[in-house]
Amino acid sequence: MASEAKEARRAGARRRGQADRRAAILAAAARRFAEFGFEATTVRQIADDVQILSGSLYHHFATKEEMLDDIVRDAVLDQHARALRIASADCEAEVRFVTLIAEELSALAERIEAYAIIFNERKFFRRSAEFAYLIKARKDAFEAWRSVLDDGVREGAFHAGIDSYLTISTIMRMLNSGADWYRHEDGSPLDAMANYSLEALTAFYAGFVLRSVRAAGRTDAPIPGALPRR
Amino acid sequence: MASEAKEARRAGARRRGQADRRAAILAAAARRFAEFGFEATTVRQIADDVQILSGSLYHHFATKEEMLDDIVRDAVLDQHARALRIASADCEAEVRFVTLIAEELSALAERIEAYAIIFNERKFFRRSAEFAYLIKARKDAFEAWRSVLDDGVREGAFHAGIDSYLTISTIMRMLNSGADWYRHEDGSPLDAMANYSLEALTAFYAGFVLRSVRAAGRTDAPIPGALPRR
DNA sequence: GTCTATAAGTAGATAGAC
DNA sequence: GTCTATCTACTTATAGAC
């Protein structure tokens, strides 16, 4: 076997090992940040969790904030892309609206720690110039949701007197504050909410929201299903 | 003038002065805690705000946590008493429900800083034995809200299939997360939400919630007014 | 009641040996 | 890549002078 191939394989393994270590550290950090908060978590605690000394963390990360950024970045950017994609789908506003709710809850369930952190540390993010991208992405996603609601009013599906700013703020806060359903891997729920299945929660929220925003007369129409995920 | 009277007056002034100082410190602390969080605020910052040295704060308070307790205690206990009083009022469940929402929003507006702190530091409170009373009071208030919703279902005003746990969780989170509307005294809103009047917000939330929980057919009935405040 | 001065502990982060 | 050792800064809280 050519020595270049050997060398390449070794380098690959090295990269994988390094990436695994980094991922393990991020997992420990995410868990701590989600449960106790970013500022209340010390780098020593994270290091202890992965059985390493605190100084050694700085071989993988330049600062504690870099860990935070790694944990939340993809979640926020995916959320942004998802909202824009769904908002511009070619179908009735009500279907798009249900899809926004369903996919948001699904993402929240999949990355509950990242979402808990994004929600709980929002004051920190707002103050930090490094995280301006996060605030911007979430604001754009907000506008995408809002445009779907406005489309629905124009189509006559949602009632005309609606305040779209207040309504979307309320709905997004409602969904996002659910990130407190954070559940430990050991199974202990931090909130009784963790006992509900994703399907049950989606049906509940889609119903709760649609009954509120629908035009008079349409209130008892069946709740449409979400668009298929792509 | 009898010297006892003079002495009493002087003692009163002393108490007032001391109480004023204490109140000024608490006001500064509340503002910082609400905007930046309890753990992110240092006693030095609070001391700077009232132009005193950090060590001198400890003449007025034993610990930083005692300040926090002083700020949130009355707000939580009042919230608890209010919920129980309204829940046991002698009238239709829907009227009690609207009253719960109206008075909750009113209290939130009056003590926005305390409410912001209670909401944002909930993980801290949950971990601290000293604040067990707070968790208990809020849990009892939750059950009072829930009993009103259940009464409404029994009366036929609210729809039968409702999950009262999920519904009340959602509504209370929705209202409480609004504590983020925190506005500075200098008038700068931290959130555009601060531009709405209390009356507008109450009408919005009462409508949003009632449309969701009402029984089929009752959806377009007028929203009842809240009970008079006593 | 506020000051000066400081204790005792912990934070995030770094340098260099192995 | 992790360890040992440590730096600098900052934390809450205290002691005693004024």
Side-chain angles (χ1 to χ4, degrees), chain A residues 182-203:
Chain A
Y182 180 64
R183 183 209 282 270
H184 283 281
E185 267 161 44
D186 61 18
S188 65
L190 276 185
D191 189 297
M193 198 74 102
N195 295 322
Y196 292 87
S197 72
L198 176 60
E199 291 70 32
L201 288 173
T202 303

Side-chain angles (χ1 to χ4, degrees), chain B residues 64-138:
Chain B
K64 188 181 160 190
E65 281 198 19
E66 191 185 307
M67 294 186 211
L68 179 61
D69 189 71
D70 256 43
I71 292 165
V72 299
R73 180 176 288 271
D74 284 357
V76 168
L77 297 183
D78 289 356
Q79 183 184 37
H80 175 256
R82 209 180 333 115
L84 266 56
R85 170 173 57 78
I86 297 169
S88 65
D90 185 27
C91 66
E92 289 168 2
E94 187 166 276
V95 173
R96 282 180 282 152
F97 205 57
V98 170
T99 306
L100 281 172
I101 294 171
E103 294 206 18
E104 183 68 15
L105 283 171
S106 165
L108 195 145
E110 260 169 49
R111 304 204 260 205
I112 184 84
E113 287 173 347
Y115 274 79
I117 294 163
I118 292 164
F119 184 71
N120 289 323
E121 309 300 330
R122 63 202 181 286
K123 279 171 200 288
F124 178 83
F125 292 133
R126 244 178 261 140
R127 282 198 304 276
S128 164
E130 256 203 90
F131 287 101
Y133 80 90
L134 186 151
I135 303 298
K136 172 80 165 60
R138 284 174 68 83

Side-chain angles (χ1 to χ4, degrees), chain A residues 88-161:
Chain A
S88 65
D90 185 26
C91 64
E92 290 169 1
E94 187 166 277
V95 172
R96 283 180 282 152
F97 205 58
V98 170
T99 306
L100 281 173
I101 293 171
E103 294 207 18
E104 183 67 16
L105 283 171
S106 164
L108 195 145
E110 260 168 51
R111 304 204 259 204
I112 185 83
E113 287 173 347
Y115 274 79
I117 295 163
I118 291 164
F119 183 71
N120 289 323
E121 310 299 331
R122 62 202 181 285
K123 279 172 199 288
F124 178 83
F125 292 133
R126 244 178 261 140
R127 283 198 304 276
S128 164
E130 255 204 273
F131 288 100
Y133 80 90
L134 185 151
I135 304 297
K136 172 80 164 61
R138 284 174 68 83
K139 197 175 171 243
D140 289 350
F142 176 94
E143 291 303 335
W145 280 66
R146 189 176 177 175
S147 72
V148 174
L149 189 73
D150 289 341
D151 287 349
V153 171
R154 248 174 268 124
E155 292 173 11
F158 302 151
H159 68 80

